[in-house]
Amino acid sequence: MSSHIILPPEDDDEQSHQGEEDEEETSVRRGPHDQTAAAAKAALPFSASCVRISRDSYPNLRALRNASSVSLADAAYVKISEGDFGYVLDDVPHLTDYLPDIPTYPNPLQDHPAYSTVKQYFVDEDDTVPQKVVVQKNSRRGVHFRRAGPRQRIYFESDEVKACIVTCGGLCPGLNTVIRELVCGLSHMYNVSKIYGIQSSKTFQNGYKGFYSSNYLPLTPNSVNDIHKRGGTVLGTSRGGHDTKKIVDNIQDRGINQVYIIGGDGTQKGAYEIFKEIRKRGLKVSVAGVPKTIDNDIAIIDKSFGFDTAVEEAQRAIDSAHVEACSAENGIGLVKLMGRYSGFIAMYATLASRDVDCCLIPESPFYMDGEGGLLEYIERRLKENKHMVIVVAEGAGQDLIAKSIATSAQQDASGNKLLLDIGLWLTHKIKDYFKSKKMEMTIKYIDPTYMIRAIPSNASDNVYCTLLAHSAIHGAMAGYSFTVGMVNGRHTFIPFYRVTSTRNKVRITDRMWARLLSSTNQPSFLSQKDIDEASEADRLANRPPLPTVVSHRAANSFEQSASSSANGEI
């Protein structure tokens, strides 16, 4: 059995690189194209040819498999296109990959009064966005993603579209805005009238579980007109409950042909499984994922919607903690913020506030006792300033709690490890320390977690949500299945496996974390060994899962893009 990889046609320029590619050429055998393959090639949305690579022929297959989380079973869904000077397109699946003869239609936007006057409104099929923007003069062009936006030809007629929208996982500012803009965008831009929310009013099943119900919620621009002013999600949400075959059965039975899925990395994994089952059945259905995580820990993308709102609201909690701390003798304000695996909210809220004396995040280990420990630093800071503000992400210090308290590894319905309350644990530890020192101290513990999750999105996030929703609509109408996201300031279509294979984390060896340490004047709590381990962890975490069929040149481009993936850190 063979896997497929999309490669560009060879040209005369490649002859100059023949010496370094001998090993590749011995492992790649080009077979004759049959009529089906020729039709698929003609219908592909970019200029490419199919290359068949035997799983047993690639010399480094085992090494690539070991370094990759993309299984051989998933290789058929991965599309890699190579070009000159180390250019690699990590492409997204398209309907024509398995339905080569489906017709196309002119985009109705070309006659839309609001859009027809915009010059070059439609995106060129060859437009791509680089994953890495900081390069040297001899750098390879690196990994690119397909640029989002409206296409001149689409694969769905307006009256045949039957779209559904589902929200999964925890709450996040902006969910209602995304729902609103999906409904209004489909209706106003593409004249779609059959739009449904996945929600059961009878069984109160939401999220993926809502697919199992017998009734959906019809959505119109009028029904969603002002929902962006409210927090939460009007469709409801839930964790878990993902049964791929039951969900696709429901999609098929109801004639749904566009599925918009809003949720975090676990939800996007579910979207990927839904797409694979849809493709196996040969259904004409596009799956568009809109990544949602208040922690900003989705890989590849610049940021997730709701993050700016969360930082803004978190800063208000820090301001309150600062007032409490300043108003008491040796006052300490302790604020716990969201951040199970990534401390972005804590870091950015700290930098925005400038009133924080110590910020603790999951990526940066710390210790409590002894010289240079947290307790010693708190004591010194109180003697100097008479008050102190500490910000801690919920996932920080879990190893310290586990050492002092017997814990069991429990998980929620999404498979996330249930965390112990680091804020409460720190509060008791600090009180006990100063009691042993016979030193007066007052500590106020503030946990604004659910207040932050439940608020409406701010102006910046509202605009961002609109652009994400519109990009998702344009991609689905053009026949792609993908996760949408902003990469280096440009909206792109990203393969599902890229956003679910790893997490975005604060890099404590980068300048942004150094700026925080300079702002708070806190010790780093890190030994040289910790720094070396963090650097290696960053390198491995940012390395994308290499498809088992990727060429040696493409692998080098993936590695180069991974070597400097923190483009947002200036």
Side-chain angles (χ1 to χ4, degrees), residues 155 189 228 292 310 358 367 381 439 456-457 505 508 530 550:
Y155 287 79
M189 292 191 296
H228 62 293
K292 172 223 54 131
C358 186
Y367 57 98
R381 198 67 172 170
M439 182 175 171
S457 52
K505 292 190 175 185
I508 60 174
D530 291 328
V550 75

Side-chain angles (χ1 to χ4, degrees), residues 118-364:
V118 180
K119 292 183 178 180
Q120 297 180 334
Y121 183 73
F122 294 112
V123 172
D124 191 286
E125 289 297 344
D126 290 330
D127 284 358
T128 58
V129 178
Q131 180 181 350
K132 178 181 176 182
V133 293
V134 180
V135 298
Q136 290 76 44
K137 62 180 181 180
N138 295 323
S139 297
R140 303 169 70 88
R141 291 180 64 189
V143 176
H144 290 61
F145 300 108
R146 188 167 290 280
R147 184 184 174 192
R151 269 56 178 173
Q152 282 190 311
R153 306 292 297 181
I154 58 176
Y155 287 79
F156 295 92
E157 288 189 292
S158 299
D159 57 0
E160 77 168 301
V161 174
K162 195 172 184 181
C164 69
I165 304 168
V166 61
T167 54
C168 305
L171 295 182
C172 175
L175 277 169
N176 278 335
T177 306
V178 175
I179 295 169
R180 180 190 189 278
E181 297 309 317
L182 285 172
V183 174
C184 293
L186 282 164
S187 178
H188 296 155
M189 292 191 296
Y190 288 97
N191 305 315
V192 175
S193 59
K194 291 171 285 193
I195 310 168
Y196 302 92
I198 303 302
Q199 180 197 58
S200 173
S201 57
K202 293 182 178 180
T203 60
F204 299 102
Q205 289 183 316
N206 307 314
Y208 280 133
K209 298 174 184 176
F211 278 104
Y212 312 149
S213 68
S214 58
N215 61 313
Y216 290 169
L217 177 67
L219 299 174
T220 65
N222 285 337
S223 69
V224 300
N225 183 54
D226 61 352
I227 64 172
H228 62 293
K229 299 175 184 178
R230 312 201 306 257
T233 163
V234 294
L235 298 180
T237 185
S238 67
R239 299 183 184 274
H242 188 276
D243 186 323
T244 303
K245 291 187 177 181
K246 278 181 72 174
I247 291 172
V248 177
D249 284 344
N250 195 289
I251 290 171
Q252 188 172 5
D253 292 343
R254 291 177 173 271
I256 299 293
N257 50 24
Q258 290 187 12
V259 184
Y260 296 92
I261 301 175
I262 311 168
D265 58 345
T267 301
Q268 298 306 312
K269 288 177 183 177
Y272 189 27
E273 295 303 315
I274 290 171
F275 159 73
K276 288 191 286 186
E277 182 64 23
I278 284 170
R279 176 164 169 170
K280 285 178 184 176
R281 300 187 188 189
L283 305 178
K284 185 186 174 184
V285 179
S286 289
V287 180
V290 181
K292 172 223 54 131
T293 166
I294 201 168
D295 294 347
N296 197 39
D297 60 358
I298 294 288
I300 305 298
I301 64 176
D302 293 350
K303 66 176 180 179
S304 52
F305 73 83
F307 176 69
D308 285 350
T309 305
V311 170
E312 186 177 311
E313 192 68 14
Q315 189 178 341
R316 293 195 178 104
I318 294 173
D319 290 343
S320 298
H322 185 246
V323 170
E324 289 284 354
C326 291
S327 302
E329 179 183 1
N330 291 329
I332 298 176
L334 175 60
V335 180
K336 186 184 79 172
L337 298 175
M338 288 156 294
R340 177 181 295 274
Y341 303 107
S342 305
F344 285 102
I345 293 178
M347 180 175 72
Y348 276 85
T350 294
L351 284 168
S353 171
R354 300 292 176 175
D355 288 327
V356 178
D357 300 284
C358 186
C359 178
L360 306 173
I361 61 174
E363 296 89 338
S364 183

Side-chain angles (χ1 to χ4, degrees), residues 22-29 52-54 57-59:
D22 284 343
E23 183 177 338
E24 290 181 43
E25 292 298 328
T26 59
S27 63
V28 178
R29 294 186 296 229
R52 188 179 297 274
I53 301 179
S54 169
S57 66
Y58 203 91

